[in-house]
Amino acid sequence: MNGVKAAQQFCSSYFLSNSVMYMIRDMRIQFGTLLADIGLINLPTGHQAILCAGLYPSVAATEEGIGGTVLASLKQKAGFTAKGRPVWYDGRREVHIHPSSINCSLKAFQYPFLVFLEKVETNKVFLRDTTIVSPYSILLFGGTINIQHQTGLVTIDGWLKMAAPAQTAVLFKELRLTLHSILEELIRKPHKKTTPPSDMFWRHEIISFPSENGCTKHKK
């Protein structure tokens, strides 16, 4: 019996709603991420990266995380925007965190990027099931990386922007290649034990990275 059928059978046997249980799970993830973002708890390493890998390119960013030319075009389309809260864009237009999300009431975020599960359009375009993700998560599991060596900026998929030394961006490209090769090997030979890169390799790569918070401080 697979996981989905087992979950449905469990809910049925205890008179529980399967959809409500999934909703509780999603809310638990959101709440845990929020507590971690404000420093009250520590989530397991890679939590945000896993969500980013699964949901990208369903991503939005504030002005701080968008390239200048793209941002100017987006702001022109958006028109008047109320002040006091971060304004989010999905690369094509202004979007809003859904009122049911615990992130909706926040006025400041640790990082200018989020991933979302669902986009709903009524009088506005709302994002549901949102999670703030770090620049490193975007670099590792996002789209095409374009390194601007002279300015110290990196763009992802032509519109997401972050500040990072060229060396850091190149290291992430190498990490991507290594990760992809491991995953491809596991897909081709799922029963074969794949030897991961040595601890010394990962230690060298990680030590070479600057502080992650520095990736969100852009040059004007």
Side-chain angles (χ1 to χ4, degrees):
M1 182 181 298
N2 61 35
V4 175
K5 289 184 178 180
Q8 291 174 345
Q9 183 176 340
F10 175 86
C11 290
S12 177
S13 62
Y14 287 94
F15 305 100
L16 299 172
S17 169
N18 196 46
S19 60
V20 171
M21 295 300 292
Y22 277 115
M23 182 181 68
I24 292 174
R25 179 203 62 182
D26 293 339
M27 291 177 65
R28 179 176 178 270
I29 292 174
Q30 285 191 23
F31 186 59
T33 303
L34 177 62
L35 292 178
D37 287 342
I38 62 178
L40 292 181
I41 65 172
N42 292 318
L43 289 176
T45 303
H47 172 83
Q48 293 177 338
I50 292 171
L51 288 175
C52 183
L55 294 175
Y56 195 92
S58 296
V59 61
T62 63
E63 295 183 9
E64 189 180 1
I66 302 175
T69 304
V70 177
L71 178 60
S73 175
L74 290 171
K75 292 177 73 173
Q76 186 176 9
K77 292 179 182 178
F80 174 78
T81 303
K83 296 182 179 180
R85 293 180 182 275
V87 181
W88 294 92
Y89 301 92
D90 65 355
R92 297 188 298 117
R93 55 190 170 180
E94 182 180 352
V95 293
H96 305 267
I97 298 176
H98 195 274
S100 65
S101 172
I102 57 176
N103 287 324
C104 181
S105 60
L106 298 181
K107 295 183 179 180
F109 298 89
Q110 183 178 4
Y111 303 117
F113 309 107
L114 65 76
V115 290
F116 58 90
L117 181 62
E118 185 180 11
K119 187 184 297 182
V120 180
E121 185 170 2
T122 53
N123 59 324
K124 298 179 180 179
V125 179
F126 290 102
L127 308 180
R128 299 176 65 96
D129 300 322
T130 61
T131 299
I132 303 300
V133 293
S134 70
Y136 281 0
S137 298
I138 298 288
L139 279 173
L140 190 57
F141 293 108
T144 303
I145 297 177
N146 180 25
I147 306 171
Q148 302 175 24
H149 294 267
Q150 294 183 346
T151 60
L153 296 176
V154 177
T155 57
I156 309 293
D157 282 342
W159 72 284
L160 297 174
K161 178 190 73 172
M162 59 190 72
Q167 180 185 12
T168 300
V170 171
L171 285 173
F172 268 99
K173 280 191 171 183
E174 294 298 324
L175 283 174
R176 279 189 179 190
L177 292 174
T178 302
L179 180 61
H180 288 172
S181 65
I182 293 173
L183 293 176
E184 287 176 359
E185 182 70 12
L186 289 173
I187 292 171
R188 288 191 297 108
K189 301 176 181 179
H191 300 295
K192 178 183 177 181
K193 290 185 178 180
T194 302
T195 303
S198 66
D199 290 342
M200 289 301 296
F201 170 82
W202 293 112
R203 192 174 303 169
H204 169 75
E205 299 293 271
I206 293 172
I207 288 175
S208 302
F209 296 158
S211 169
E212 187 167 23
N213 289 329
C215 287
T216 61
K217 297 177 181 178
H218 310 303
K219 297 178 181 180
K220 301 294 184 182

